Amino acid sequence: MRFTGGITDTAMQETGITREPGCEDELNAGLLSVDEARARILAGVTPLQEAENAALRDALGRVLAEDIVSPIDVPSHTNSAMDGYAVRAADLPQEGSREFPVAGTSWAGRPWLAAVAPGQAVQIMTGGMLPEGADTVVMQEHVERDGDTVRIGAGHQPGQHIRPAGEDLKTGQPVLQAGRRLTAADIGVLASLGLETVRIYRRLRVSFFSTGDELRAVGEPLGPGEIHDSNRYTLYGVLQKLDVEIIDLGVIRDRRELIELALRSAAAQADAVITSGGVSVGEADFVKETLEKLGTMAFWKIAMKPGRPVTFGHIDQAVFFGLPGNPVSVMVTFFQFVRPALLRMAGEQHPPPAYTLRARATTPLRKRPGRFEFQRGILEQTGPGEFSVRSAGQQGSGILRSMSEANCFILLTPDRTGVETGEEVEVQPFQNLI
Ligand code: AMP
Ligand code: MG
């Protein structure tokens, strides 16, 4: 018995070909590729629109909902980049040295308001406003001060050590665009513009539950054949990293009515619903039926391991992700499909890509061709720009320990067979991301 209704079966129905599915299915080009599944999911979600005002500090890590145009010049005045003396370039000696009377001092925030007359110097501090008439600063280390005069030698560049008004940002200049997740530097930039509040998108609401008669919550004793529900904890963790509002709906028994109720309630409360389990062979039918009854769903068999069966669709206004039950499959499919979709839904226009690196394998890796394998690896830096990776151990989709010990996915493309020690592989670090 195989899970039916996937893209393969539909494609076969359309072409009139029928056959019993077999183990060569792994090689079947009709399975959906990882990239295609991700592209369909991204095409099937829309960014939320509702925005709110936030005080600058509260906007850190949130997604900006307005374009920011600079209301002022930053800096607002031409100032000195050094502690030194402001002079007119035309007065600088071509050779030898020249003595300048020091007319006063321009401190940062306490400007010298008079003009610098020809032949004069004004002492100036870093950030001090350049007095009228002056156009050049000579560093304090390059002069000889003697009482009220200062001696300046030859060799200085006209205009040196000056920070012109608007050098950082000019009035009317576009600064940050809507759809950007605000970093510490962004918050600093907004502060430099004097903005107290900004518009940000509201937090995305994500509800999730686990399905399975065998699941017990932590703290409950295990009966025969039972296991603790770990998926809600990994999902909680990965969602927390995405700064979404989390609605945990617990464990739902494998009963049609209960699943339907849970799905309805999950969709009513959230922008996105994530479930784990219940879509693999055996228990699939009623979950599938329920999902089809409640919304529009696609049931995909993806040419990947782990995480082959994934369901994606909509229930009312909510986007639905049905992830496999196996703990590692949950994390892999979350990272590869759900995470980019949630970032887009949260309003992020250009989420930073999950970077990949090349690393030399220090253990052999077994791999079947015809599917994308996301093996769990331990990445180490061996020199500047040089990395090695080894397997994090058993690669079964139920071995959560390997996920916990790993710090990267080893990306083995469908065409690839095994990897020998010493071969280069592509890896995707996930430290701090999940
Ligand atoms: P399923 O997709 O429901 O057939 O589950 C596949 C495997 O994952 C089974 O061995 C389940 O016991 C296990 N599993 C499902 N849900 C969870 C969960 N929330 N926590 C830990 N293991 C789970
Ligand atoms: Mg189950």
Side-chain angles (χ1 to χ4, degrees):
M1 247 292 282
R2 287 203 152 230
F3 184 53
T4 57
I7 188 89
T8 319
D9 309 84
T10 318
M12 285 199 310
Q13 279 158 19
E14 279 168 6
T15 51
I17 302 166
T18 54
R19 63 166 174 79
E20 279 300 304
C23 59
E24 73 278 17
D25 260 10
E26 304 293 358
L27 291 163
N28 192 321
L31 290 176
L32 202 57
S33 73
V34 170
D35 284 346
E36 180 62 19
R38 189 185 296 113
R40 289 189 191 185
I41 287 172
L42 287 176
V45 302
T46 44
L48 51 76
Q49 300 295 325
E50 295 129 78
E52 57 201 29
N53 284 331
L56 212 43
R57 283 185 181 154
D58 297 333
L60 179 64
R62 303 289 298 275
V63 183
L64 189 63
E66 61 178 338
D67 291 338
I68 302 289
V69 170
S70 184
I72 55 169
D73 279 346
V74 180
S76 57
H77 53 278
T78 299
N79 66 93
S80 176
M82 295 287 175
D83 290 341
Y85 291 85
V87 295
R88 296 167 175 257
D91 293 341
L92 287 168
Q94 293 303 309
E95 52 194 35
S97 65
R98 177 173 178 178
E99 203 166 86
F100 293 73
V102 178
T105 302
S106 178
W107 305 85
R110 264 192 290 145
W112 171 255
L113 291 170
V116 174
Q120 275 186 340
V122 163
Q123 189 178 15
I124 192 163
M125 304 304 166
T126 304
M129 189 166 131
L130 198 69
E132 209 187 306
D135 54 15
T136 300
V137 168
V138 178
M139 281 166 70
Q140 167 174 293
E141 293 86 337
H142 295 161
V143 307
E144 283 166 41
R145 174 91 188 232
D146 182 11
D148 285 345
T149 65
V150 70
R151 180 165 290 282
I152 299 175
H156 296 288
Q157 294 296 317
Q160 70 185 12
H161 308 317
I162 297 295
R163 300 192 290 212
E167 174 189 58
D168 189 354
L169 297 164
K170 289 193 172 48
T171 307
Q173 183 181 335
V175 181
L176 297 172
Q177 279 177 341
R180 181 184 178 87
R181 199 173 283 275
L182 295 169
T183 64
D186 295 340
I187 298 292
V189 165
L190 293 167
S192 77
L193 300 179
L195 299 175
E196 264 179 303
T197 61
V198 284
R199 299 285 291 165
I200 54 172
Y201 291 113
R202 72 159 167 81
R203 276 202 178 88
L204 199 68
R205 281 190 283 273
V206 182
S207 60
F208 62 89
F209 60 87
S210 296
T211 68
D213 285 339
E214 76 281 28
L215 303 177
R216 287 284 160 269
V218 295
E220 286 179 22
L222 296 180
E226 293 179 342
I227 57 171
H228 288 300
D229 169 19
S230 59
N231 288 345
R232 278 191 305 126
Y233 289 83
T234 46
L235 280 176
Y236 173 84
V238 292
L239 288 170
Q240 190 74 40
K241 292 264 182 191
L242 293 187
D243 193 31
V244 299
E245 214 174 283
I246 297 170
I247 304 162
D248 182 348
L249 297 173
V251 177
I252 309 298
R253 309 269 137 233
D254 289 321
R255 302 278 177 286
R256 193 189 303 261
E257 324 74 64
L258 297 179
I259 299 260
E260 182 172 336
L261 211 64
L263 284 169
R264 283 186 192 281
S265 143
Q269 296 179 62
D271 304 298
V273 177
I274 304 173
T275 65
S276 72
V279 290
S280 58
V281 182
E283 25 173 39
D285 287 355
F286 76 85
V287 176
K288 185 167 177 263
E289 248 177 61
T290 311
L291 287 171
E292 278 172 341
K293 178 175 158 193
L294 294 184
T296 49
M297 294 291 154
F299 299 85
W300 293 326
K301 283 190 275 185
I302 304 174
M304 69 187 285
K305 185 182 185 258
R308 197 165 106 118
V310 168
T311 303
F312 172 70
H314 295 85
I315 302 172
D316 301 326
Q317 298 305 304
V319 171
F320 174 81
F321 302 94
L323 306 185
N326 274 308
V328 179
S329 308
V330 167
M331 297 202 79
V332 171
T333 50
F334 182 90
F335 192 72
Q336 299 301 330
F337 304 125
V338 184
R339 185 175 181 277
L342 294 184
L343 293 178
R344 178 168 291 186
M345 289 176 74
E348 218 173 328
Q349 290 275 347
H350 305 289
Y355 292 111
T356 65
L357 301 171
R358 297 212 134 265
R360 205 158 289 285
T362 56
T363 48
L365 305 167
R366 284 175 50 201
K367 151 93 170 59
R368 289 245 297 270
R371 65 190 186 193
F372 205 125
E373 292 194 12
F374 295 88
Q375 297 200 5
R376 274 73 67 211
I378 298 169
L379 181 70
E380 269 179 289
Q381 183 148 16
T382 50
E386 282 171 21
F387 299 89
S388 75
V389 68
R390 63 181 196 278
S391 170
Q394 278 172 289
Q395 295 289 326
S397 55
I399 315 283
L400 195 51
R401 175 180 47 76
S402 75
M403 190 71 210
S404 149
E405 286 171 6
N407 58 7
C408 70
F409 291 123
I410 305 172
L411 306 180
L412 301 176
T413 50
D415 54 298
R416 191 133 200 182
T417 50
V419 173
E420 304 292 339
T421 301
E423 270 187 71
E424 267 206 344
V425 288
E426 191 182 5
V427 301
Q428 189 170 51
F430 54 64
Q431 240 164 352
N432 300 323
L433 291 178
I434 54 177

